[in-house]
Structures are given as structure tokens and as C-alpha cells.
Amino acid sequence: PLDKTVYTTLIAGWSRTKQMERAQALLEEMKANPSCQPDTLTYTTLIAGWCRLPDMTKAQILLDEMRANPRCT
């Protein structure tokens, strides 16, 4: 079963290969699943990927979303 660890690992893999749209799609899939919400590690993995492209606008959007997420402290 896909859990937070598996999702975050897949997101990291897509991020390393600069396939950020795929990584972002997994984040959206996670957010749609109440039992598998993204955490700080998930967000920072994605933020780092967007920064490597670089797409600082998308990185900033995720940072703002992470700050608003009560699971991310």
C-alpha cells in the first residue's frame, strides 16, 4: 500500500530526474487521501526539486502551502 514514506520516496525520485510535474501530481494525490497527508519532508523534497529547475515561483507556492499546513511544524 502507498503510505507517506512511499509517496515521499517516489516524489524524491521524480524530483531527482527533474520530472517535477509527476512529483507534483503525487503530492496532489496525497492531499486527496485523508489518511496519507504530506509532511515537512514531502514538501521540502518538492521545494528542492523546483529550486533545482529552477522554478522559484512554484517553490515559493509550496513553501507557503507548507507553512499553512498544521502537519508541518
Side-chain angles (χ1 to χ4, degrees):
L2 291 178
D3 62 10
K4 186 171 32 179
T5 302
V6 173
Y7 272 109
T8 301
T9 301
L10 289 169
I11 287 169
W14 288 124
S15 295
R16 274 190 227 100
T17 59
K18 297 185 178 180
Q19 297 187 56
M20 293 307 299
E21 297 301 331
R22 287 183 169 197
Q24 190 72 39
L26 286 174
L27 175 70
E28 298 307 318
E29 194 175 306
M30 282 183 84
K31 292 189 313 188
N33 182 348
S35 66
C36 188
Q37 292 296 296
D39 61 9
T40 303
L41 179 59
T42 309
Y43 278 105
T44 57
T45 300
L46 271 164
I47 290 167
W50 285 116
C51 288
R52 278 191 295 274
L53 281 186
D55 189 330
M56 300 311 293
T57 300
K58 288 186 179 173
Q60 183 65 52
I61 289 168
L62 282 174
L63 178 61
D64 294 342
E65 186 177 310
M66 182 180 79
R67 286 178 173 159
N69 186 331
R71 295 181 194 280
C72 302
T73 56

